[in-house]
């Protein structure tokens, strides 16, 4: 029994001409886990997936499948299930023929008998719940049905690993949610190592056992959904996952100074003095009605179950976003123009890396003087 | 109730009178330059009745010309078919430097006068040509013989299949081929089972056009054939000879076969467009 | 952050993030603007620290320079390109090069004598003149026909549309003898025209008629798709702005069609210059009067004057290549024009 990781990437880099798609990516994917590669487009996530499948080659680095180097193994020999973003169904074949394709092109000595192929295809179609659509052609199917056919086709060759490229990207919101849940159930049933690529944070957080956040060809963070959302390890992940307020501050004597807001819980390292940025989620911005408060409510928008407020700090143009559940908001009923006080329930500090003193803007200077 | 009358001036159309005038001019032009010549072929061919018509077609030299035309097409078309598919695969499925230059070069024979297309082979293989003396010593005759006719025909029909397939295959991309390869298909299986079925209509269309031109080519073949009756005369050349001998009925009789071929080709084209929906898309309004 | 980048960002994100991003961009701009005013601020927006919000400036395919040998999992590149180049070289390139090599082996005075003799000049003048006249005629009637076929519905429209391809498909020799029979003095059209004193067959006018016939589909088929894709909105907009129908056509439609029209005319012209089969029957082939350049090549060949034939051919070929280049540029222009509109 192989006990190591199902897939292992070691220092994988890939360039397209001047564009660096992947830059020294190292990653271990555990057998049986459901892993999401999450990142904005251009972050290299699809390239990474295609390298695992054998559809692209790394310039440098190594790829191990089941403990063995697979870089030199061709795509045909890898036996990997791959679901393409736009499904790439064979449009001239029926659903049944599509799913049977991988079995029918096997070398004669491994190819199952025609009867067995048919039985296996039907079983697969039943598994993905489209047993009744076998005679249809891809053009006659809905997006969700096509997705299921693509999945059944990929599973037909009994792959060791299942790779999905933006599996729900081309579907409308409702179908997407439904299929997402169904894929999770299917994965739990088959317990097959599964990697999917997405740019949709909600999808990654809801579906995956672990999330790999990619940015500009590098891995920014790897962790469970709770970890990457709750404790982003760097500003990129903070920005990419969920909405966030970025608040400039000065760190002095082990604490960041924001004159108009009280910080309840500070994350990050405030040991170095100098300019920094606080990352505050909108739902961590707490407001209280206060006629002498430093901030003004500028805009109140009710978006279904949540209420979004824009807060303008006195004398400052930049706007803070606050978010609170509708039922909480009902107790306050802030109106535009009202004065409020501000608390940050939780804020994460990242010191500015490059900013030297010469880069201080007039705004920074005024901030400095205000805090003295 | 007052009848709902369309406003006299629609923002996207012209007054009725203008419309019909333009339609009338267009139809007159098509009748004059296309329909009448087409009709003339058949009326001239049948001028002396069906008997004379059939006699002209079954006469030995005519039969030899028909046979030669079919033979030449049977060699040239499959060769260009294979070339077209191969070239389209290289050009449409891969991105490489010099690709657009390659496409231009493949299209080149279209911009060469048919007479020059024949001439270049005379200069290469004729008795005064570079390879001519060498070939004649070997007892191999290219010019004024069938090989020359085949070569000239291949040249003038060179781009047909490839230029039909390249845009089609480019539009289809490589997703399905990649999917087939991931599922374990070999290169040949991928082509046979995935690519070929997707391009079959475009391929058929290209082959039809290629065939029509191969059977109907006149200028290039005329230069290399030597016009030896019963031996190196293709149908178009036979038409010319009969015409120059003032044997108009026979000439038009053979010509009518070629005209029929053209009509069949165009009908097939319409059917293919209807099959693939391209016609519908084109007639979108 | 440039406001222009907003749309690029939005395209890449799930729709529900769009609102959020648009607002962030707005905030960023405000943040910097107020900072520049130098007011006493207690809070500024941090600059985007690592460019997480920037759009993909380096989409992989956007500015990739291609390699000679692509790396792809699709098999068969070397084999198919090899066969393509070999076949192309054997059938097309080597013979064409042979023609130019042959022409280059003539000495200069011989070459010049061959291409500047009165007969050759007259033939070239006729070939190019009649081709130009025919192409321009087709520009008018071809556009009209394309317009009628695309914009109006009338009985038999699809049949007429199919008939436009006849000159493509009909062998040139067939077209040649048929046009001759039609326009000869005892023909259906020749007789009434002769009564008016117009002689078509066996005159330069006959050459013109044949070249109109073979050039028509080039113009119609190049304009048709462009006319079809012309968005209705631009005409409606012109009408809303108070343009008359005539003004709309002259100022909006014709300029949008012009690149396609120019391409079609150039294609028809290029084809007409080299045309042989459909012309020689109706032309009468009188030296200095109705003898076209391709025919002259054939005549020289029959006289075994290979040098002269080669000289004339190389001049014509050179001109065709120049026109091919021009057509390529026109098509590129046409495409760019389309993308812009």
């Amino acid at each position: 029994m192989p006990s190591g990781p199902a897939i292992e990437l070691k220092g994988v880099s890939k360039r397209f001409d001047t564009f660096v798609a992947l830059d020294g990516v190292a990653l271990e994917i555990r057998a049986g886990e459901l892993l999401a590669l999450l990142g904005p487009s251009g972050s290299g996530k699809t390239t990474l997936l295609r390298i695992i499948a054998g559809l692209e080659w790394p310039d440098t680095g190594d790829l191990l499948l089941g403990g063995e180097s697979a870089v030199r193994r061709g795509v045909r020999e890898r036996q990997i299930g791959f679901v393409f973003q736009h499904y790439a169904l064979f449009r001239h074949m029926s659903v049944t023929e599509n799913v049977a394709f991988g079995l029918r092109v096997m070398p004669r000595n491994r190819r199952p008998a025609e009867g067995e192929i048919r039985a296996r295809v039907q079983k697969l179609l039943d598994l993905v719940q489209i047993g009744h659509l076998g005679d249809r052609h891809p053009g006659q199917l809905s997006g969700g049905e096509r997705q299921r056919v693509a999945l059944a086709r990929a599973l037909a060759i009994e792959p060791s690993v299942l790779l999905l490229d933006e599996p729900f990207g081309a579907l409308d919101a409702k179908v997407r949610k439904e299929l997402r849940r169904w894929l999770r159930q299917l994965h739990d049933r088959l317990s097959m190592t599964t990697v999917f690529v997405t740019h949709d944070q909600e999808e990654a957080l809801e579906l995956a056992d672990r999330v790999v956040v990619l940015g500009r060809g590098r891995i920014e963070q790897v962790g469970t959904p709770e970890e990457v959302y709750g404790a982003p390890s760097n500003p990129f992940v903070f920005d990419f996952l969920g909405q966030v307020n970025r608040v400039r501050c000065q760190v002095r004597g082990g604490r960041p100074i924001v004159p108009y807001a009280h910080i309840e819980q500070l994350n990050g390292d405030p040991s170095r003095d100098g300019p920094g940025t606080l990352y505050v989620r909108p739902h961590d911005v707490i407001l209280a009605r206060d006629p002498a408060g430093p901030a003004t409510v500028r805009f109140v928008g009710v978006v279904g179950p949540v209420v979004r407020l824009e807060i303008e700090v006195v004398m400052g143009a930049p706007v803070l976003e606050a978010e609170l559940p509708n039922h909480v908001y009902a107790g306050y009923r802030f109106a535009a123009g009202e004065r409020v006080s501000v608390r940050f329930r939780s804020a994460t500090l990242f010191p500015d890396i490059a900013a030297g003193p010469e880069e201080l803007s007039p705004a920074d200077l005024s901030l400095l003087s205000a805090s003295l | 109730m007052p009848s709902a009358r369309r406003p006299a001036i629609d923002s996207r159309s012209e007054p009725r009178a203008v419309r019909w005038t333009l339609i009338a001019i267009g139809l007159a032009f098509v009748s004059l330059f296309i329909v009448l010549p087409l009709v003339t072929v058949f009326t001239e061919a049948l001028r002396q009745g069906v008997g004379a018509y059939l006699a002209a077609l079954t006469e030995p030299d005519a039969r030899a010309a028909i046979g030669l035309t079919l033979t030449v097409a049977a060699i040239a078309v499959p060769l260009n078919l294979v070339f077209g598919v191969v070239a389209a695969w290289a050009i449409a499925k891969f991105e490489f430097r010099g690709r657009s230059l390659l496409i231009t070069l493949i299209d080149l024979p279209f911009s060469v006068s048919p007479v020059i297309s024949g001439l270049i082979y005379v200069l290469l293989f004729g008795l005064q040509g570079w390879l001519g003396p060498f070939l004649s010593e070997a007892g191999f005759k290219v010019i004024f013989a069938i090989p020359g006719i085949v070569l000239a025909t291949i040249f003038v029909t060179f781009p047909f299949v490839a230029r039909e397939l390249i845009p089609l295959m480019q539009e289809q991309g490589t997703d399905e081929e990649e999917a087939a390869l991931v599922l374990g298909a070999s290169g040949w299986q991928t082509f046979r089972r995935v690519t070929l079925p997707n391009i079959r209509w475009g391929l058929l269309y290209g082959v039809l056009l290629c065939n029509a031109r191969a059977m109907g080519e006149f200028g290039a073949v005329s230069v290399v054939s030597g016009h030896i009756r019963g031996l190196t005369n293709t149908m178009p050349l036979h038409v010319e000879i009969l015409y120059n001998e003032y044997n108009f009925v026979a000439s038009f009789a053979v010509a009518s076969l070629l005209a029929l071929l053209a009509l069949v080709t165009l009908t097939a084209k319409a059917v293919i467009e209807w099959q693939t929906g391209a016609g519908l898309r084109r007639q979108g309004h | 952050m440039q406001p222009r980048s907003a749309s690029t960002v939005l395209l890449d994100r799930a729709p529900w993030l769009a609102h959020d991003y648009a607002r962030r961009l707005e905030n960023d701009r405000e943040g910097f603007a107020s900072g520049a005013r130098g007011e006493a601020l207690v809070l500024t927006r941090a600059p985007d620290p690592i460019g997480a919000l920037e759009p993909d400036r380096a989409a992989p395919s956007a500015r990739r320079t291609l390699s000679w040998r692509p790396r792809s999992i699709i098999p068969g590149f070397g084999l198919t390109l090899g066969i393509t180049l070999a076949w192309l070289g054997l059938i097309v390139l080597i013979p064409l090069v042979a023609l130019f090599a042959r022409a280059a082996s003539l000495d200069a005075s011989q070459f010049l004598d061959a291409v500047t003799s009165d007969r050759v000049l007259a033939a070239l003048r006729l070939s190019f003149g009649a081709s130009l006249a025919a192409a321009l005629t087709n520009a008018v009637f071809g556009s009209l026909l394309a317009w009628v076929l695309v914009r109006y519905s009338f009985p038999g429209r699809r049949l007429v549309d199919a008939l436009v391809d006849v000159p493509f498909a009909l062998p040139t020799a067939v077209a040649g003898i048929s046009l001759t029979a039609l326009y000869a003095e005892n023909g259906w059209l020749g007789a009434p025209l002769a009564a008016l004193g117009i002689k078509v067959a066996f005159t330069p006018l006959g050459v013109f008629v044949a070249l109109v016939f073979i050039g028509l589909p080039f113009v119609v088929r190049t304009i048709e798709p462009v006319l079809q894709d012309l968005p209705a909105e631009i005409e409606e907009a012109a009408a809303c702005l108070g343009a008359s129908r005539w003004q709309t056509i002259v100022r909006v439609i014709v300029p949008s069609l012009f690149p396609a029209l120019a391409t079609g005319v150039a294609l028809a012209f290029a084809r007409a210059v080299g045309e042989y089969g459909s012309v020689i029957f109706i032309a009468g082939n009188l030296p200095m009067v109705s003898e076209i350049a391709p025919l002259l090549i054939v005549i020289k060949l029959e006289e075994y004057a290979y040098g002269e034939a080669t000289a004339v051919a190389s001049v014509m070929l050179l001109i065709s290549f120049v026109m091919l280049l021009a057509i390529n540029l026109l098509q590129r222009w046409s495409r760019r024009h389309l993308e812009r509109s």
Side-chain angles (χ1 to χ4, degrees), chain B residues 6-285:
Chain B
R6 279 179 61 184
I9 296 169
D10 182 328
S11 67
R12 278 198 85 199
S13 195
E14 291 71 42
R16 219 181 141 78
V18 176
R19 277 207 314 263
W20 282 104
T21 310
L22 292 178
I23 292 173
I25 296 173
L27 289 182
F29 193 77
V30 168
S31 313
L32 209 62
F33 278 92
I34 292 174
V35 178
L36 269 182
L38 208 53
V39 172
T40 304
V41 176
F42 295 98
T43 54
E44 290 289 325
L46 293 166
R47 182 167 284 238
Q48 286 168 16
V50 181
Y53 178 78
L54 291 177
L57 293 182
T58 47
E59 166 268 321
D61 285 347
R63 290 218 311 259
I66 295 170
L68 179 59
T69 292
L70 293 175
T71 310
V72 169
I75 301 169
V77 175
L79 282 174
N80 274 336
L81 162 70
V82 171
F83 165 77
V85 172
V86 165
W89 182 271
I91 289 170
K93 298 291 178 193
F94 302 93
E95 293 191 345
F96 55 93
R97 223 191 285 183
R99 193 168 62 156
S100 53
L101 175 69
L102 187 55
I103 296 175
T104 308
L105 289 178
I106 288 175
D107 271 347
L108 207 55
F110 275 158
S111 47
V112 174
S113 171
V115 169
I116 298 176
S117 313
L119 173 68
I120 54 177
Y121 291 107
V122 173
L123 292 181
L124 263 189
F125 299 114
L127 275 178
Q128 295 191 26
W130 284 357
L131 300 174
F134 169 75
L135 285 172
S136 80
E137 254 174 53
F140 195 69
K141 214 169 162 212
V142 175
I143 299 305
F144 305 148
I146 294 173
I149 297 175
V150 171
L151 273 176
T153 305
I154 291 176
F155 182 93
V156 294
T157 57
F158 191 82
F160 278 100
V161 176
R163 79 169 331 179
E164 219 35 70
L165 292 185
I166 289 168
L168 183 66
M169 282 166 73
Q170 269 175 337
E171 190 191 310
Q172 286 174 351
T174 54
D175 276 11
E176 290 185 38
E177 281 79 10
E178 283 185 358
L181 292 164
V182 171
L183 289 166
S186 68
W188 175 247
Q189 283 172 321
T190 303
F191 173 75
R192 256 288 290 121
R193 291 169 175 247
V194 176
T195 311
L196 198 57
N198 278 335
I199 60 171
R200 60 187 191 276
W201 290 113
L203 189 61
L204 180 61
Y205 186 29
V207 166
L208 278 171
L209 291 179
C210 181
N211 179 63
R213 181 72 193 266
M215 291 190 171
E217 177 51 30
F218 177 70
V221 170
S222 161
V223 171
V224 295
S225 113
H227 303 90
I228 306 164
R229 270 191 122 142
L231 279 180
T232 63
N233 256 356
T234 61
M235 285 165 77
L237 298 180
H238 195 57
V239 167
E240 183 200 18
I241 288 184
L242 292 170
Y243 190 85
N244 287 342
E245 289 170 350
Y246 303 103
N247 192 349
F248 293 135
V249 168
S251 173
F252 275 102
V254 179
S256 73
L257 286 187
L258 290 168
L260 272 179
L261 170 72
L263 291 178
V264 168
T265 304
L266 290 182
T267 310
K269 177 195 167 211
V271 171
I272 291 170
E273 275 178 1
W274 172 72
Q275 271 286 345
T276 56
L280 288 175
R281 227 181 309 124
R282 230 163 42 76
Q283 314 281 351
H285 288 264

Side-chain angles (χ1 to χ4, degrees), chain C residues 7 15 18 24 46 51 68 70 77 97 115 120 143 153 209 217 231 239 244 248 272 296 301-302 306 319:
Chain C
S7 60
R24 276 199 219 181
W68 294 103
F77 176 71
V97 168
V115 296
V120 170
S143 321
S153 68
V209 166
S244 71
T248 306
L296 205 55
L301 269 182
E302 281 170 359
Y306 280 42
I319 295 170

Side-chain angles (χ1 to χ4, degrees), chain C residues 39-86:
Chain C
E39 285 171 20
L41 301 179
V42 281
L43 170 106
T44 62
R45 274 264 148 180
D48 185 5
I50 49 161
L53 297 179
E54 277 184 39
D56 279 321
R57 272 199 259 114
S61 60
R63 41 168 192 180
R64 202 193 301 181
T65 56
L66 299 171
S67 63
W68 294 103
R69 178 105 179 64
R71 189 141 190 220
S72 163
I73 66 143
I74 309 282
F77 176 71
L79 180 71
T80 55
L81 188 70
I83 294 175
T84 305
L85 290 177

Side-chain angles (χ1 to χ4, degrees), chain C residues 81-264:
Chain C
L81 188 70
I83 294 175
T84 305
L85 290 177
W87 190 239
L88 180 72
L90 278 176
I91 297 291
V92 179
L93 298 183
I94 291 175
L96 283 175
V97 168
L99 175 85
F100 283 116
R102 184 82 176 224
S105 71
L106 302 171
D107 70 71
S109 66
Q110 213 184 336
F111 186 92
L112 280 177
D113 285 349
V115 296
T116 57
S117 77
D118 289 345
R119 191 172 171 190
V120 170
L121 286 179
L124 286 172
R125 213 175 297 131
L126 175 65
S127 273
F128 283 91
S131 299
L132 187 64
L136 292 178
T137 307
N138 276 327
V140 175
F141 288 97
S143 321
L144 185 146
L145 206 52
W147 177 266
V148 165
L149 288 172
V150 170
R151 288 304 177 88
Y152 304 150
S153 68
F154 54 92
R157 192 196 62 172
R158 298 201 57 172
L159 178 67
V160 174
D161 193 52
L163 281 172
V164 168
D165 277 335
V166 165
F168 273 152
L170 195 68
T172 53
V174 178
I177 61 168
S178 170
L179 287 169
T180 313
L182 259 180
Y183 286 94
E185 269 178 56
N186 56 355
W188 288 349
L189 295 171
L193 285 170
L196 295 170
I198 303 171
K199 226 173 145 260
V200 178
F202 316 124
T203 70
L205 197 56
V207 177
F208 165 79
V209 166
L211 296 181
V212 170
F213 171 82
I214 58 137
L216 180 67
F218 289 93
V219 177
V220 177
R221 292 292 181 240
T222 322
I223 294 181
E224 256 184 340
V226 181
L227 200 52
Q228 245 148 16
D229 293 343
L230 210 61
E233 285 92 340
I234 67 162
E235 285 169 59
E236 285 162 0
C240 290
L241 293 168
S244 71
R245 187 64 194 155
W246 178 245
Q247 284 171 318
T248 306
I249 288 173
V250 171
R251 297 187 174 216
V252 177
I253 298 175
V254 171
S256 346
L257 288 185
F258 189 74
L261 178 62
T263 309

